[in-house]
Every structure is written in structure tokens, then in C-alpha cells.
Amino acid sequence: MTRLTTAGRTGRLAGGALLAALAMLTVAGCGGSGEDSGNSAAGAADTEAPDSSTDNTPKSPSPATSSPSPTVTAADGTDPGACTDGNCEIAVSKPVTINFKIPDGPAELSVTKVDKNEVDYKVTQGTSTNGSSAGGTASGEGSGCTTFFYNNGSGTQCGAAGEPPAKEAGTVALQLVPGPDGTAILRLVSG
């Protein structure tokens, strides 16, 4: 039977402690978010529950509590009232109704859906019993719809957004261009 000396026991205990420390560092370095921070101690600290008294990380607002707001700029901001004279450029991020005049008389625009790269609208001309309607849906990046109102008629083009409509005598043009952030640009141009 071999008898261990105090020096031998101390050496074995130190070796065991070293192996345990190396094993903990190896485990701390594995797993996690897949990002290599280059600091094993930081990776180990990330696995612990945060202490709320010292956690100064800024929190993002919850999507359920934040309301969408336009992130694009338009000449007339977000005020639908700017369109009642037949000329405006506004940003819309939710359904809206606007009354304006076309060559055939009064009309009502109803933007019924605004989403990421998508907008849906309808324009009703005249009365509900003796009127006609026009409208469209623009869907996809870079898309848009333009409806032209003439004396005794209208026409809608949807596809690539194109340039803002130019003033043309006797014509009212309505353009809607959705954006990737859930905001659409609405342009109304009366000639």
C-alpha cells in the first residue's frame, strides 16, 4: 500500500480544482447566442438572470402598446383636412375618409387598409343610389395606384408607383403609394 504525503494530496487537490475551473470555462464558452464575444467570462455572465436593480438596458416599447406613426414626411404632414381643397400630400398610417371635389361633383375617398407595402382604397362619386366608384389595391415594394377623374369618367392604374401626378386642366388625380413601414403617401392633385 502506497502512502501519500501531504505534498502529494495538495498537488492532487490543486490539479482537481484546476480541471474543474477549466471545465466551467469550457461550458461557459459553449452555447449561448452563437455570437463570439471573445470573452468567456462575459458569456458566463450572460446566462445568469439579470438583477433588476442594476439592469440599465433600454427597453423597446411593446408593439401592442405603441401606435403606428408615419415615419415618412409629406408636404402637408398627416392632416386629412389639407385634402379638402383638392390638392394635398399627406402621410396616412390608418384608415381615413376624405371628402373632395372631382370634375363630376363631390366624391368621398375611403382608405380602408394601410399596411407594410400595401394600401387599399375606394372613391365613391355622387350619391350612394346614383353614384359610381373607383379604387384599387397597391401591394408590394415600390407599388402604387393612381386614379384619374375626368368629366364623365375615371380610370385607375395600379403597379409601379411612378412619379407624382402633374396638374392637368379638368382632371383630378389621386395617388396612393404604400411604404415598408406601414405608412402610405396620399397625393391629391386638381388641375
Side-chain angles (χ1 to χ4, degrees):
M1 178 174 204
T2 309
R3 203 161 188 201
L4 292 176
T5 64
T6 305
R9 282 189 212 133
T10 305
R12 283 188 180 183
L13 287 174
L18 179 61
L19 285 175
L22 287 174
M24 286 178 57
L25 286 175
T26 301
V27 170
C30 296
S33 65
E35 296 179 19
D36 182 16
S37 65
N39 184 347
S40 296
D46 289 343
T47 61
E48 295 177 9
D51 179 4
S52 63
S53 65
T54 60
D55 185 16
N56 294 327
T57 307
K59 304 290 187 239
S60 297
S62 168
T65 59
S66 64
S67 62
S69 61
T71 59
V72 294
T73 55
D76 296 309
T78 60
D79 180 18
C83 297
T84 57
D85 68 352
N87 290 288
C88 66
E89 179 184 81
I90 64 170
V92 293
S93 58
K94 60 185 178 182
V96 66
T97 300
I98 298 170
N99 293 308
F100 64 104
K101 288 194 175 261
I102 58 173
D104 287 337
E108 181 179 83
L109 164 66
S110 295
V111 177
T112 56
K113 181 178 183 179
V114 182
D115 208 347
K116 293 179 181 179
N117 292 318
E118 186 175 3
V119 66
D120 189 35
Y121 70 101
K122 180 179 179 180
V123 177
T124 306
Q125 306 169 51
T127 65
S128 58
T129 57
N130 188 22
S132 59
S133 64
T137 299
S139 180
E141 189 174 339
S143 66
C145 286
T146 305
T147 300
F148 296 93
F149 300 95
Y150 311 99
N151 204 6
N152 296 319
S154 65
T156 299
Q157 301 171 346
C158 292
E163 295 293 318
K167 275 191 176 190
E168 187 177 320
T171 302
V172 174
L174 166 69
Q175 183 183 52
L176 279 158
V177 180
D181 64 348
T183 301
I185 295 294
L186 182 155
R187 294 180 180 102
L188 193 58
V189 179
S190 296

